[in-house]
């Protein structure tokens, strides 16, 4: 059972769970109860903490978070497959969105720069999210302009955001059409990468 691992809320977990609820939980947990006393609320908070990339300080919370997200991920995938087979488009869309958030540890609507950033860049990327800066906007803006927009860590912050944006996969597509016969066209397509490749981040 999903709640078995964290069947009870331990005394030493209450403070961190309340901090988690207050600072990182985007979805209200009130209907599930109190995070420091009710298991459903604790599970809710830990799932949201996992998506928000919170590293638990309490050892039991770290173990509980690991157990919960693994089972929640499987459950959501099963629900997605069932929804597809039954033709429930709305449910399939919702469960797919949840599965992506669990897998990528990223809330829907957050900048894709989170995929490439380390823990030291979290506050900087929170600023990018607050400003709702798209990757295209970052690409089109010079360092001085980003510095003015972000107002965080001066040029160093702007330079780091620009470097992270350069890692996001983008391709340039060009196409040419040449008539061969009355009913035949020759289409030539060229795809050129427009991002910085990293073996460590993108794979080999």
């Amino acid at each position: 059972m999903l709640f078995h691992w964290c069947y009870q809320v331990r005394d030493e977990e209450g403070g961190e769970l309340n901090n988690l609820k207050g600072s990182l939980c985007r979805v209200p947990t009130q209907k599930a109860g109190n995070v420091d006393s009710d298991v459903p609320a604790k599970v809710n908070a830990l799932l949201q903490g996992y998506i928000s990339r919170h590293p638990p300080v309490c050892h039991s919370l770290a173990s509980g978070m690991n157990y919960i997200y693994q089972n929640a991920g499987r459950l959501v995938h099963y629900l997605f497959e069932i929804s597809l087979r039954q033709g429930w488009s709305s449910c399939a869309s919702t469960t797919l969105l949840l599965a992506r958030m669990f897998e990528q540890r990223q809330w829907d609507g957050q900048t894709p720069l989170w995929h490439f950033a380390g823990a030291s860049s979290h506050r900087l990327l929170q600023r990018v999210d607050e400003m709702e800066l798209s990757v295209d906007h970052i690409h089109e803006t010079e360092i001085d302009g980003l510095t003015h927009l972000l107002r965080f860590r001066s040029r160093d912050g702007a330079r780091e955001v620009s470097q992270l944006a350069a890692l996001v996969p983008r391709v340039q597509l060009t196409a040419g059409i040449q008539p061969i016969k009355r009913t035949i066209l020759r289409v030539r397509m060229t795809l050129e990468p427009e991002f910085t490749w990293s073996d460590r981040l993108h794979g080999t």
Side-chain angles (χ1 to χ4, degrees):
M1 186 176 179
L2 179 60
F3 298 155
H4 176 71
W5 184 277
C6 52
Y7 183 73
Q8 61 182 1
V9 181
R10 298 170 177 83
D11 293 338
E12 66 272 16
E13 299 173 347
E16 186 172 356
L17 285 170
N18 277 307
N19 290 336
L20 187 60
K21 173 186 174 182
S23 60
L24 295 176
C25 286
R26 296 192 174 198
V27 181
T29 62
Q30 286 85 347
K31 290 185 178 180
N34 297 318
V35 292
D36 55 358
S37 59
D38 298 303
V39 172
K42 174 184 175 181
V43 172
N44 190 323
L46 286 178
L47 271 177
Q48 295 192 57
Y50 176 77
I51 296 173
S52 299
R53 303 176 183 234
H54 171 72
V57 176
C58 180
H59 176 71
S60 61
L61 284 182
S63 300
M65 179 182 286
N66 184 58
Y67 179 84
I68 289 168
Y69 99 79
Q70 288 180 347
N71 284 276
R74 294 189 190 102
L75 179 61
V76 169
H77 276 93
Y78 295 150
L79 291 174
F80 173 66
E81 291 178 5
I82 292 171
S83 301
L84 283 181
R85 292 171 185 168
Q86 296 295 327
W88 301 335
S89 58
S90 179
C91 185
S93 176
T94 300
T95 51
L96 177 60
L97 179 61
L98 286 171
R100 286 176 54 195
M101 289 194 293
F102 290 157
E103 182 177 341
Q104 299 173 359
R105 300 191 71 178
Q106 179 177 330
W107 291 98
D108 182 45
Q110 281 188 308
T111 175
L113 304 188
W114 284 99
H115 290 293
F116 308 104
S120 61
S121 302
H122 282 194
R123 184 64 193 95
L124 177 61
L125 295 190
Q126 286 172 358
R127 181 62 178 160
V128 173
D129 284 333
E130 291 168 3
M131 299 295 297
E132 298 183 350
L133 295 178
S134 67
V135 174
D136 288 337
H137 190 174
I138 294 171
H139 274 292
E140 295 167 358
T141 307
E142 299 292 337
I143 296 297
D144 289 340
L146 284 175
T147 302
H148 178 73
L149 284 173
L150 293 170
R151 299 183 183 275
F152 187 82
R153 284 172 42 188
S154 63
R155 289 179 62 87
D156 289 339
R159 190 175 293 108
E160 182 176 351
V161 167
S162 180
Q163 291 170 348
L164 290 172
L167 294 169
V168 178
R170 291 162 32 114
V171 293
Q172 176 67 39
L173 170 65
T174 56
I177 300 176
Q178 178 185 359
I180 302 299
K181 293 183 179 180
R182 185 175 180 180
T183 58
I184 299 177
L185 291 176
R186 174 183 292 163
V187 179
R188 296 180 183 272
M189 298 182 65
T190 304
L191 292 173
E192 296 182 357
E194 288 192 336
F195 65 98
T196 303
W197 180 269
S198 167
D199 287 343
R200 181 177 65 86
L201 296 172
H202 298 106
T204 55

